[in-house]
Amino acid sequence: MGDILRLVGKRLGLGLVILLVISVIIFFMVELLPGDIAQAVLGQGATEENLAALRKEMGLDQPAIVRYFDWLMGALTFDFGQSVVTGNSVAEIIGDRFTKTLFLAAYAAVIAVPVAITLGVVVALLRNSIFDRVANVVTLTFISSPEFFLGYILILYFAVKWGMFPAISSINDGMSFLELLQRTFLPALTLVLVVVAHMMRMTRAAIINLLASPYIEMARLKGTPPWKVIVKHALPNAWAPIINVIALNLAYLITGVVLVEVVFVYPGIGQALVDAVSKRDFPIVQACCLIFAATFILLNLAADVGSILTNPRLRHPK
């Protein structure tokens, strides 16, 4: 247990350092963007006195390094400042949006994870069969296709031609859970098609690598059915790479959702980021980027911990 805690502590410390570096990059990259925020807010007809007063109110008259540490200290307490467009709290604006993004990611994950593991087991069981080859071609097609392309294809058939689901995922707090699932099915399916391919191929590869192991050969010599060899003997020992790829794809479901939310006009944090960029609402841009980075690092940490817990060689490094 002590070895595990030390390894987890090292991963956590490294994650915090990486997040700190990313926060520096996010803040100063936004600082390097051309244009004047105060000018953008007040318009071209603003006087110098009004511009100077707004810059002072927003803290823009302070050196960049001072503003960075003020922003960082605020971010530690989830205070990301105020929107320069609406004047509302950034935390309030993106809080509800992030909840909706988490729902969409969870919706896709609930479908994708069991489907991917099941397909991975099946294609490993039917290795080199026609089903295995077709599955590999289909998954490679989905991996190679951009999310927005898959989204538009789904809209064309499921929304325009067949009319089964709405093309725009407009949701509100008053709708029922079933209606919410129906309205968000197409963006969730788009994400599922992308991540299932990665997870299925990793599951297949991990199981096939184990099929040449001596204990697998022994199980076969004892007359154990092929499906039982995979499910009972190979799959439990393949969890380390499978858990790792699942965690990484869950990170993608949250951080890579921007294009999908834009295609389906889904009111998540990805759509909020795009809207903020178009309106030059930099506090929201900074907050969204930092949240994406923190989420990705956290889920990578979860992947490392999952690999450590399922692999004795990582629990007791030499």
Side-chain angles (χ1 to χ4, degrees):
M1 182 60 70
D3 291 338
I4 295 177
L5 291 177
R6 279 194 292 272
L7 286 171
V8 171
K10 289 180 181 178
R11 299 291 198 283
L12 182 59
L14 180 61
L16 291 175
V17 171
I18 293 173
L19 185 59
L20 180 63
V21 173
I22 291 175
S23 72
V24 174
I25 295 173
I26 290 171
F27 185 87
F28 286 99
M29 287 299 290
V30 171
E31 284 291 309
L32 292 175
L33 291 176
D36 184 354
I37 298 178
Q39 189 79 62
V41 172
L42 296 179
Q44 296 297 323
T47 64
E48 285 298 327
E49 292 78 7
N50 290 336
L51 290 173
L54 182 58
R55 292 190 188 103
K56 185 175 182 179
E57 180 183 344
M58 298 174 64
L60 297 177
D61 57 334
Q62 299 290 326
I65 189 67
V66 174
R67 285 186 283 112
Y68 165 73
F69 280 107
D70 288 341
W71 174 73
L72 183 62
M73 293 300 104
L76 293 176
T77 59
F78 301 100
D79 179 11
F80 298 101
Q82 294 179 322
S83 166
V84 299
V85 175
T86 65
N88 296 330
S89 168
V90 172
E92 292 179 0
I93 294 173
I94 65 176
D96 181 62
R97 295 293 194 100
F98 189 52
T99 301
K100 288 182 171 65
T101 294
L102 288 177
F103 169 79
L104 182 60
Y107 188 4
V110 167
I111 300 173
V113 172
V115 168
I117 293 177
T118 302
L119 285 176
V121 171
V122 171
V123 295
L125 189 63
L126 302 176
R127 181 175 45 163
N128 297 326
S129 67
I130 295 178
F131 180 81
D132 180 28
R133 291 168 184 167
V134 170
N136 276 291
V137 170
V138 172
T139 54
L140 282 174
T141 301
F142 287 144
I143 292 173
S144 305
S145 302
E147 297 90 332
F148 67 87
F149 175 75
L150 292 175
Y152 287 131
I153 292 296
L154 293 179
I155 289 174
L156 175 62
Y157 286 97
F158 285 92
V160 177
K161 289 191 174 183
W162 300 333
M164 298 172 62
F165 300 97
I168 296 178
S169 300
S170 56
I171 60 175
N172 55 68
D173 296 333
M175 64 177 51
S176 66
F177 185 68
L178 290 178
E179 186 179 2
L180 179 63
L181 293 180
Q182 193 260 352
R183 285 181 174 271
T184 56
F185 180 75
L186 288 186
L189 181 59
T190 304
L191 293 171
V192 167
L193 292 177
V194 176
V195 298
V196 159
H198 289 280
M199 291 189 286
M200 189 213 79
R201 290 176 64 83
M202 178 56 72
T203 301
R204 176 186 181 277
I207 291 177
I208 289 176
N209 286 337
L210 289 171
L211 290 180
S213 302
Y215 72 93
I216 297 292
E217 293 294 333
M218 182 62 68
R220 284 172 170 167
L221 291 174
K222 289 181 178 180
T224 305
W227 68 268
K228 196 172 184 180
V229 169
I230 291 179
V231 174
K232 187 176 179 180
H233 298 285
L235 186 59
N237 292 286
W239 276 122
I242 292 174
I243 288 176
N244 194 34
V245 76
I246 287 175
L248 293 178
N249 278 278
L250 290 179
Y252 164 77
L253 286 177
I254 297 175
T255 60
V257 76
V258 176
L259 288 177
V260 175
E261 290 187 355
V262 171
V263 168
F264 293 95
V265 199
Y266 181 78
I269 193 172
Q271 182 69 56
L273 175 60
V274 173
D275 292 342
V277 170
S278 64
K279 297 175 181 176
R280 300 180 64 83
D281 200 343
F282 296 143
I284 293 182
V285 174
Q286 292 171 326
C288 289
C289 292
L290 189 64
I291 289 173
F292 280 143
T295 303
F296 192 81
I297 290 171
L298 182 63
L299 288 172
N300 269 274
L301 175 64
D304 286 343
V305 172
S307 298
I308 291 170
L309 294 177
T310 55
N311 192 333
R313 290 176 296 180
L314 295 178
R315 277 182 276 170
H316 306 286
K318 295 182 179 179

